[in-house]
Amino acid sequence: MLVLLREYAGQRPFATLFVLCLCLFLPGCGAKLPDSGRLPSVAAGRGTPCYLEVTGQGIPTEGLAAAIRKEISRSGDLREADSPGPGTLTVRVNVEEIFLFGPAGVGLLDGLKTTAATLLIGILAAGVFIVAGSTDLGIVFPVAAGTLLGLGAGIGISANSWSKDVWAIRAGVGMAWHGTPDSLEEIVVSTGNGGASSREEATGMLEHELARRISKAITTLPQPS
């Protein structure tokens, strides 16, 4: 829905703003993030050899492999192995695609909510002053200034989110001892509600997030005394 609205906005900005304001009162107008999948936990002792295999058809994997090695080494203190084998934990990752999910609509709606709420407060305050017949500029000016600042903040949030997109990466991930995993779990992680301003920026964010998800599934056991 947000993709269509953004394409429509250039031709009919006022109509688009009206529709987006209606979205503030419609549950589910902001699309849910595509993140899915769960990796089973694997227990490994410190210093355990770990072999990493990262593949992807038509997709650069060097950055992702480096990010995974860094996260695994930092979180589990595992040492890199040259090949699968006895006593070695093998982590296999097959990147299927990096795809555009849609505009960073959650941030956009947050900005519109801020704008709408501030505007409502300003209208209510003006109504109170009119009914009360107040002309005290010492009160009117701060209220007006606060309303304008709130509107500016809301519009700024909306504009910033409008220029960003949510990207996601889909990959098969598997871990196994003493050999290559027979099956892979499908994992999807995204850039989050904040989105990214370009595919290049999104790629770095996705590499870090997928690496974090993988390293989080590895539980480090204390060394035997």
Side-chain angles (χ1 to χ4, degrees):
M1 180 177 180
L2 288 172
V3 176
L4 295 176
L5 282 174
R6 190 166 63 176
E7 294 176 354
Y8 186 72
Q11 299 176 349
R12 295 177 174 83
F14 294 106
T16 303
L17 180 60
F18 176 71
V19 173
L20 288 173
C21 288
L22 288 179
C23 278
L24 299 177
F25 306 99
L26 295 177
C29 183
K32 184 180 179 181
L33 292 174
D35 300 62
S36 62
R38 182 180 177 274
L39 289 174
S41 180
V42 175
R46 292 187 178 277
T48 296
C50 179
Y51 175 72
L52 176 64
E53 178 183 340
V54 182
T55 58
Q57 198 167 25
I59 300 174
T61 57
E62 294 81 3
L64 176 59
I68 295 174
R69 288 191 182 95
K70 182 178 180 180
E71 285 293 326
I72 290 178
S73 175
R74 179 165 50 189
S75 63
D77 196 22
L78 307 183
R79 60 184 179 86
E80 189 175 348
D82 296 328
S83 62
T88 299
L89 175 64
T90 297
V91 179
R92 182 185 171 200
V93 181
N94 180 51
V95 180
E96 298 175 9
E97 61 174 336
I98 295 177
F99 62 94
L100 175 63
F101 179 68
V106 175
L108 175 63
L109 293 180
D110 286 343
L112 289 174
K113 287 178 182 179
T114 301
T115 303
T118 306
L119 184 59
L120 179 60
I121 292 173
I123 292 173
L124 290 175
V128 170
F129 290 140
I130 292 173
V131 171
S134 174
T135 57
D136 187 353
L137 296 181
I139 298 177
V140 175
F141 281 165
V143 172
T147 301
L148 291 175
L149 287 174
L151 288 173
I155 293 171
I157 293 172
S158 298
N160 183 57
S161 298
W162 189 263
S163 64
K164 294 187 176 183
D165 293 300
V166 174
W167 291 79
I169 185 171
R170 188 191 315 277
V173 181
M175 292 183 283
W177 291 100
H178 319 304
T180 304
D182 296 326
S183 60
L184 304 178
E185 297 287 338
E186 183 178 272
I187 303 295
V188 179
V189 297
S190 72
T191 52
N193 293 332
S197 56
S198 66
R199 180 189 174 96
E200 289 72 23
E201 180 185 0
T203 299
M205 297 170 66
L206 294 173
E207 289 172 347
H208 173 76
E209 183 60 24
L210 182 57
R212 190 189 67 81
R213 286 282 300 275
I214 294 172
S215 66
K216 189 177 179 181
I218 302 175
T219 303
T220 304
L221 298 175
Q223 290 181 329
S225 54

